[in-house]
Amino acid sequence: MASTRPQNTRLEAVLRSLNRQLQGAWPGPWWRRALLVLALLFGMYLGNNITSFWLARFTVRPAVVLAIVLILEVVVRLRSRWVRDPAPLAWAVGDNLRIGLVYAVVFEAFKVGS
């Protein structure tokens, strides 16, 4: 009878490591993971709308983007001082909102070509 356990190859080690990292990044029950994914997507939505609104409203585009990046950097610095791992759900949701917002701003910069 053949064993169904995978062989110990480099690819299998990489896949096990990747699986452990993903399990650690999205811990908890399904509703927590769903809330974190929704926060990430909502952050992207906010980032797209904020950059579209502010960049269309003001002519000083680099200053607006710099202000957004500076505000997000301050939030990251404060979070690292106040919260230790594991982060409470509210901080995890805030982190995912921030990550989505940064991704959207960077993606918007690539779309605009600047």
Side-chain angles (χ1 to χ4, degrees):
M1 193 150 112
S3 174
T4 59
R5 211 170 82 200
Q7 294 180 359
N8 195 14
T9 62
R10 288 185 300 219
L11 177 62
E12 184 62 32
V14 168
L15 291 176
R16 275 195 309 266
S17 173
L18 182 63
N19 189 22
R20 276 194 305 271
Q21 289 175 357
L22 288 176
Q23 292 289 335
W26 300 93
W30 67 268
W31 57 267
R32 180 182 169 94
R33 290 191 301 263
L35 192 60
L36 292 175
V37 169
L38 284 174
L40 187 67
L41 293 174
F42 189 66
M44 290 175 60
Y45 176 75
L46 281 177
N48 283 331
N49 286 330
I50 287 173
T51 54
S52 297
F53 174 75
W54 286 97
L55 293 179
R57 189 165 173 94
F58 296 106
T59 58
V60 189
R61 293 179 180 197
V64 172
V65 173
L66 179 65
I68 291 172
V69 170
L70 286 176
I71 289 169
L72 291 173
E73 183 65 26
V74 168
V75 169
V76 169
R77 298 291 178 181
L78 290 176
R79 185 228 185 265
S80 64
R81 289 183 187 265
W82 289 343
V83 178
R84 298 289 177 225
D85 286 335
L89 181 61
W91 279 104
V93 167
D95 285 343
N96 281 5
L97 280 169
R98 179 183 48 83
I99 291 168
L101 190 106
V102 169
Y103 179 78
V105 168
V106 170
F107 188 67
E108 190 73 27
F110 278 116
K111 285 194 315 189
V112 172
S114 57

